[in-house]
Amino acid sequence: MAQVKVATRSEIAPGTAKTVEVNGKQVALFNVGGQLYAIDNTCLHRGGPLGEGEIDGKIVTCPWHGWEYDVTTGATLDDPAKKVACFKVQFSGDDVLIET
């Protein structure tokens, strides 16, 4: 697996998100208490952009229809059997890397 630089730590303040493109795929990065998590940016319900959703702790709410996701696992609270893809986040200095 290859690692791709997608951001710097300083670009994503605690409690915020940033959407990045990795190999043609939209990925949402979330800073939860200083820890970064990366999940697929597309809501499973109607395709809403999760990176634009409201984040409360480790839960992001899709801005289109309100589906909620745990950014640490990718699981939706509306149907725990459904999950969006999660990506491993690593660091090299201030650089944020995602495994693809």
PDB file of all heavy atoms in Angstrom, residues 1 7 10 13-15 20 27 46 63 84 89 93 98 100:
ATOM      1  N   MET A   1       0.826  -1.182   0.000  1.00  0.00           N
ATOM      2  CA  MET A   1       0.000   0.000   0.000  1.00  0.00           C
ATOM      3  C   MET A   1       0.872   1.248   0.000  1.00  0.00           C
ATOM      4  O   MET A   1       1.856   1.323   0.708  1.00  0.00           O
ATOM      5  CB  MET A   1      -0.916   0.019   1.217  1.00  0.00           C
ATOM      6  CG  MET A   1      -1.913  -1.084   1.272  1.00  0.00           C
ATOM      7  SD  MET A   1      -3.339  -0.482   2.155  1.00  0.00           S
ATOM      8  CE  MET A   1      -4.551  -1.543   1.482  1.00  0.00           C
ATOM      9  N   ALA A   7      -2.607  16.511   3.462  1.00  0.00           N
ATOM     10  CA  ALA A   7      -2.779  17.758   4.209  1.00  0.00           C
ATOM     11  C   ALA A   7      -1.631  17.902   5.195  1.00  0.00           C
ATOM     12  O   ALA A   7      -0.740  17.052   5.239  1.00  0.00           O
ATOM     13  CB  ALA A   7      -4.113  17.748   4.959  1.00  0.00           C
ATOM     14  N   SER A  10      -1.732  21.176  10.775  1.00  0.00           N
ATOM     15  CA  SER A  10      -2.191  22.528  11.110  1.00  0.00           C
ATOM     16  C   SER A  10      -3.395  22.981  10.282  1.00  0.00           C
ATOM     17  O   SER A  10      -4.080  23.927  10.644  1.00  0.00           O
ATOM     18  CB  SER A  10      -1.038  23.523  10.942  1.00  0.00           C
ATOM     19  OG  SER A  10      -0.527  23.470   9.627  1.00  0.00           O
ATOM     20  N   ALA A  13      -8.061  21.864  12.324  1.00  0.00           N
ATOM     21  CA  ALA A  13      -8.168  22.164  13.758  1.00  0.00           C
ATOM     22  C   ALA A  13      -9.098  21.163  14.442  1.00  0.00           C
ATOM     23  O   ALA A  13      -9.979  20.583  13.798  1.00  0.00           O
ATOM     24  CB  ALA A  13      -8.700  23.584  13.937  1.00  0.00           C
ATOM     25  N   PRO A  14      -8.934  20.944  15.751  1.00  0.00           N
ATOM     26  CA  PRO A  14      -9.840  20.052  16.479  1.00  0.00           C
ATOM     27  C   PRO A  14     -11.302  20.446  16.262  1.00  0.00           C
ATOM     28  O   PRO A  14     -11.651  21.623  16.255  1.00  0.00           O
ATOM     29  CB  PRO A  14      -9.422  20.238  17.940  1.00  0.00           C
ATOM     30  CG  PRO A  14      -7.965  20.596  17.845  1.00  0.00           C
ATOM     31  CD  PRO A  14      -7.871  21.467  16.616  1.00  0.00           C
ATOM     32  N   GLY A  15     -12.132  19.448  16.020  1.00  0.00           N
ATOM     33  CA  GLY A  15     -13.562  19.667  15.810  1.00  0.00           C
ATOM     34  C   GLY A  15     -13.925  20.072  14.395  1.00  0.00           C
ATOM     35  O   GLY A  15     -15.063  20.437  14.140  1.00  0.00           O
ATOM     36  N   VAL A  20     -10.451  15.868   0.973  1.00  0.00           N
ATOM     37  CA  VAL A  20      -9.298  15.776   0.081  1.00  0.00           C
ATOM     38  C   VAL A  20      -9.593  14.724  -0.988  1.00  0.00           C
ATOM     39  O   VAL A  20     -10.508  13.910  -0.843  1.00  0.00           O
ATOM     40  CB  VAL A  20      -8.016  15.392   0.853  1.00  0.00           C
ATOM     41  CG1 VAL A  20      -7.657  16.472   1.865  1.00  0.00           C
ATOM     42  CG2 VAL A  20      -8.147  14.041   1.542  1.00  0.00           C
ATOM     43  N   VAL A  27     -12.180  11.872   0.125  1.00  0.00           N
ATOM     44  CA  VAL A  27     -11.990  11.367   1.484  1.00  0.00           C
ATOM     45  C   VAL A  27     -12.180  12.536   2.445  1.00  0.00           C
ATOM     46  O   VAL A  27     -11.690  13.637   2.195  1.00  0.00           O
ATOM     47  CB  VAL A  27     -10.571  10.762   1.646  1.00  0.00           C
ATOM     48  CG1 VAL A  27     -10.313  10.361   3.088  1.00  0.00           C
ATOM     49  CG2 VAL A  27     -10.385   9.570   0.711  1.00  0.00           C
ATOM     50  N   ARG A  46     -27.796   8.890   0.560  1.00  0.00           N
ATOM     51  CA  ARG A  46     -28.097   9.581  -0.704  1.00  0.00           C
ATOM     52  C   ARG A  46     -26.875  10.255  -1.320  1.00  0.00           C
ATOM     53  O   ARG A  46     -27.007  11.136  -2.154  1.00  0.00           O
ATOM     54  CB  ARG A  46     -29.179  10.635  -0.495  1.00  0.00           C
ATOM     55  CG  ARG A  46     -30.514  10.105  -0.054  1.00  0.00           C
ATOM     56  CD  ARG A  46     -31.290   9.577  -1.240  1.00  0.00           C
ATOM     57  NE  ARG A  46     -32.513   8.967  -0.793  1.00  0.00           N
ATOM     58  CZ  ARG A  46     -33.676   9.139  -1.366  1.00  0.00           C
ATOM     59  NH1 ARG A  46     -33.785   9.902  -2.424  1.00  0.00           N
ATOM     60  NH2 ARG A  46     -34.735   8.540  -0.898  1.00  0.00           N
ATOM     61  N   PRO A  63     -24.929  16.397   5.863  1.00  0.00           N
ATOM     62  CA  PRO A  63     -25.673  17.643   5.700  1.00  0.00           C
ATOM     63  C   PRO A  63     -26.929  17.520   4.844  1.00  0.00           C
ATOM     64  O   PRO A  63     -27.777  18.412   4.860  1.00  0.00           O
ATOM     65  CB  PRO A  63     -24.655  18.583   5.046  1.00  0.00           C
ATOM     66  CG  PRO A  63     -23.729  17.686   4.309  1.00  0.00           C
ATOM     67  CD  PRO A  63     -23.649  16.437   5.148  1.00  0.00           C
ATOM     68  N   VAL A  84     -19.018   3.178   5.842  1.00  0.00           N
ATOM     69  CA  VAL A  84     -18.223   3.763   4.770  1.00  0.00           C
ATOM     70  C   VAL A  84     -16.780   3.309   4.996  1.00  0.00           C
ATOM     71  O   VAL A  84     -16.399   2.933   6.110  1.00  0.00           O
ATOM     72  CB  VAL A  84     -18.311   5.309   4.738  1.00  0.00           C
ATOM     73  CG1 VAL A  84     -19.707   5.772   4.351  1.00  0.00           C
ATOM     74  CG2 VAL A  84     -17.881   5.921   6.053  1.00  0.00           C
ATOM     75  N   VAL A  89      -4.560   6.696   8.832  1.00  0.00           N
ATOM     76  CA  VAL A  89      -3.892   7.994   8.825  1.00  0.00           C
ATOM     77  C   VAL A  89      -2.554   7.853   9.545  1.00  0.00           C
ATOM     78  O   VAL A  89      -2.484   7.279  10.633  1.00  0.00           O
ATOM     79  CB  VAL A  89      -4.747   9.063   9.538  1.00  0.00           C
ATOM     80  CG1 VAL A  89      -4.012  10.389   9.600  1.00  0.00           C
ATOM     81  CG2 VAL A  89      -6.090   9.224   8.855  1.00  0.00           C
ATOM     82  N   GLY A  93       6.253  14.151  10.285  1.00  0.00           N
ATOM     83  CA  GLY A  93       6.361  15.540  10.729  1.00  0.00           C
ATOM     84  C   GLY A  93       4.973  16.132  10.814  1.00  0.00           C
ATOM     85  O   GLY A  93       4.084  15.570  11.436  1.00  0.00           O
ATOM     86  N   ILE A  98      -2.268   9.309   4.050  1.00  0.00           N
ATOM     87  CA  ILE A  98      -3.317   8.292   4.035  1.00  0.00           C
ATOM     88  C   ILE A  98      -2.827   7.121   3.202  1.00  0.00           C
ATOM     89  O   ILE A  98      -2.256   7.314   2.130  1.00  0.00           O
ATOM     90  CB  ILE A  98      -4.627   8.838   3.440  1.00  0.00           C
ATOM     91  CG1 ILE A  98      -5.214   9.900   4.355  1.00  0.00           C
ATOM     92  CG2 ILE A  98      -5.639   7.726   3.234  1.00  0.00           C
ATOM     93  CD1 ILE A  98      -6.501  10.487   3.862  1.00  0.00           C
ATOM     94  N   THR A 100      -3.361   4.160   0.712  1.00  0.00           N
ATOM     95  CA  THR A 100      -4.317   3.863  -0.362  1.00  0.00           C
ATOM     96  C   THR A 100      -4.148   2.440  -0.842  1.00  0.00           C
ATOM     97  O   THR A 100      -3.170   1.811  -0.569  1.00  0.00           O
ATOM     98  CB  THR A 100      -4.139   4.820  -1.535  1.00  0.00           C
ATOM     99  OG1 THR A 100      -2.826   4.654  -2.060  1.00  0.00           O
ATOM    100  CG2 THR A 100      -4.368   6.250  -1.118  1.00  0.00           C
TER     101      THR A 100
END
